[in-house]
Amino acid sequence: MTTTAAPAARLSRLDRFLPLWIALAMGAGLLAGRAIPGLGRVLDAVQVDGISLPIALGLLVMMYPVLAKVRYDRLDSVTGDRRLMWSSLALNWILGPALMFALAWLLLPDLPEYRTGLIIVGLARCIAMVIIWNDLACGDREAAAVLVALNSVFQVLAFGVLGWFYLQVLPGWLGLEQTGLDVDALQIAKSVVIFLGIPLLAGYLTRKLGEKSKGRTWYETTFLPRLGPFALYGLLFTIVILFALQGAQITSRPLDVARIALPLLAYFAIMWAGSFALGRAIGLNYERTTTLAFTAAGNNFELAIAVAIATFGVASGQALAGVVGPLIEVPVLVALVHAALALRHRFKETT
């Protein structure tokens, strides 16, 4: 029988020590943000049409190698899996926002700014970092590409409507405090094109041209192993930049960070465990169950932070709630990568 440690042992040295590298990247970003006066302002000022160039660069470098691994000729097998598609839509656009709304009101009833920020986080479904968590957990790359693309379309169409519903309509029905939200659908679409469209197109063209010129065997056994590590380099760079940008806010308000962290921890645990259990219950294999769980549990903090800053200001509690998101999400989802790998053998025994 396969041991639970075996899948993790097959990870490369870089992957195996990922929690350490991420902890160091978070620490480096926080220290740099605190120790270098004006660094956050300088990094945040380097923008093109509202998109932070350092963060965009890190995300593009992170996502491109993983999307270059996708076998695009297999995508039809994913789109034909109605169990996976409908489950993902329900988890991401019905359960996820509703769960974050409930947790925010339950655990932060006296902190309206942080509560609103967390609700915005719950509306921003993940289209970026989930790609790498899924890959590290040996999920289905093709399924991840399809579900992330599906989330992107719904993000453009549904983010503003759901923001209006959860911040104004539903609180009004329940007799709770209402909050307005100014959302620019064009800006959300632009974020989707940059953070998903560019690396997706680059990954597709790389595979198509690479296989055409050198063949699939060379592409997968020679080219991809050389390209693969850059995904983690991009992830670590992105983490350093994110925490350098917001290090002062995080370290100067530790009690507030702890209050915000509690509903986030509950959210990630419930969404991932519930999605993983659902995938297994409806008969998905390990790879697609893992993809379902990570695409449901992750959030697009870049979008949430941008919306909170644009609506409430850079120093607002809503923006801080978005900033705390990756502080909690990154180590938690790294731990869930190892949890998924440890559960992998159970699917082999039951399928």
Side-chain angles (χ1 to χ4, degrees):
M1 181 171 58
T2 307
T3 64
T4 57
R10 287 196 294 270
L11 292 172
S12 69
R13 180 176 298 178
L14 183 63
D15 292 346
R16 230 176 13 248
F17 292 101
L18 183 61
L20 173 61
W21 311 139
I22 284 178
L24 292 174
M26 291 168 64
L30 289 172
L31 287 173
R34 292 286 291 180
I36 305 175
L39 176 63
R41 289 193 300 275
V42 171
L43 291 173
D44 198 40
V46 186
Q47 297 185 2
V48 173
D49 203 14
I51 303 295
S52 170
L53 280 182
I55 290 178
L57 176 62
L59 290 173
L60 292 175
V61 172
M62 177 187 74
M63 294 178 68
Y64 164 62
V66 181
L67 290 170
K69 295 177 181 178
V70 172
R71 288 192 173 181
Y72 292 92
D73 55 350
R74 294 182 178 176
L75 294 185
D76 58 342
S77 69
V78 178
T79 56
D81 190 341
R82 293 187 177 182
R83 296 170 304 169
L84 176 67
M85 302 291 282
W86 286 112
S87 296
S88 180
L89 284 174
L91 288 167
N92 275 285
W93 298 102
I94 298 175
L95 180 61
L99 176 63
M100 189 68 89
F101 175 87
L103 289 171
W105 273 100
L106 179 65
L107 298 176
L108 300 174
D110 56 329
L111 298 171
E113 289 189 359
Y114 299 153
R115 185 177 64 236
T116 298
L118 286 182
I119 292 171
I120 294 171
V121 168
L123 302 177
R125 311 314 299 168
C126 195
I127 66 169
M129 286 191 181
V130 69
I131 294 284
I132 199 165
W133 305 136
N134 177 74
D135 203 54
L136 288 169
C138 302
D140 187 320
R141 292 186 187 121
E142 289 71 35
V146 170
L147 295 184
V148 164
L150 190 65
N151 275 342
S152 300
V153 173
F154 269 80
Q155 195 130 260
V156 175
L157 299 175
F159 188 93
V161 174
L162 288 175
W164 167 74
F165 176 75
Y166 280 105
L167 293 175
Q168 294 188 18
V169 176
L170 186 56
W173 289 351
L174 300 175
L176 304 172
E177 180 182 345
Q178 297 170 285
T179 306
L181 182 64
D182 182 19
V183 177
D184 185 348
L186 181 61
Q187 188 64 32
I188 295 174
K190 202 177 302 179
S191 173
V192 168
V193 169
I194 292 174
F195 293 139
L196 177 63
I198 292 175
L200 185 62
L201 178 61
Y204 171 77
L205 291 176
T206 300
R207 177 171 278 278
K208 186 176 180 65
L209 297 175
E211 289 188 355
K212 184 176 180 180
S213 62
K214 295 280 191 174
R216 176 163 288 187
T217 300
W218 172 87
Y219 184 84
E220 295 194 344
T221 61
T222 302
F223 177 73
L224 287 182
R226 294 175 182 172
L227 182 66
F230 284 92
L232 292 183
Y233 301 154
L235 171 66
L236 296 175
F237 175 80
T238 303
I239 291 170
V240 170
I241 297 299
L242 275 172
F243 286 93
L245 280 168
Q246 304 294 341
Q249 282 204 70
I250 292 172
T251 56
S252 64
R253 299 155 84 173
L255 292 179
D256 289 351
V257 168
R259 288 288 305 272
I260 297 168
L262 187 57
L264 283 169
L265 285 169
Y267 174 84
F268 294 133
I270 294 170
M271 284 298 294
W272 189 89
S275 303
F276 200 90
L278 174 63
R280 190 173 183 193
I282 63 176
L284 298 180
N285 62 19
Y286 168 80
E287 289 76 13
R288 291 194 175 175
T289 294
T290 297
T291 300
L292 181 68
F294 280 100
T295 51
N299 291 87
N300 186 351
F301 287 104
E302 298 79 27
L303 174 61
I305 293 169
V307 169
I309 289 175
T311 305
F312 303 103
V314 69
S316 66
Q318 291 89 342
L320 178 62
V323 169
V324 174
L327 176 69
I328 307 303
E329 183 190 53
V330 170
V332 168
L333 291 190
V334 169
L336 291 175
V337 165
H338 289 272
L341 291 170
L343 293 169
R344 191 177 187 180
H345 73 289
R346 297 193 178 186
F347 287 80
K348 291 181 179 179
E349 290 175 352
T350 58
T351 59

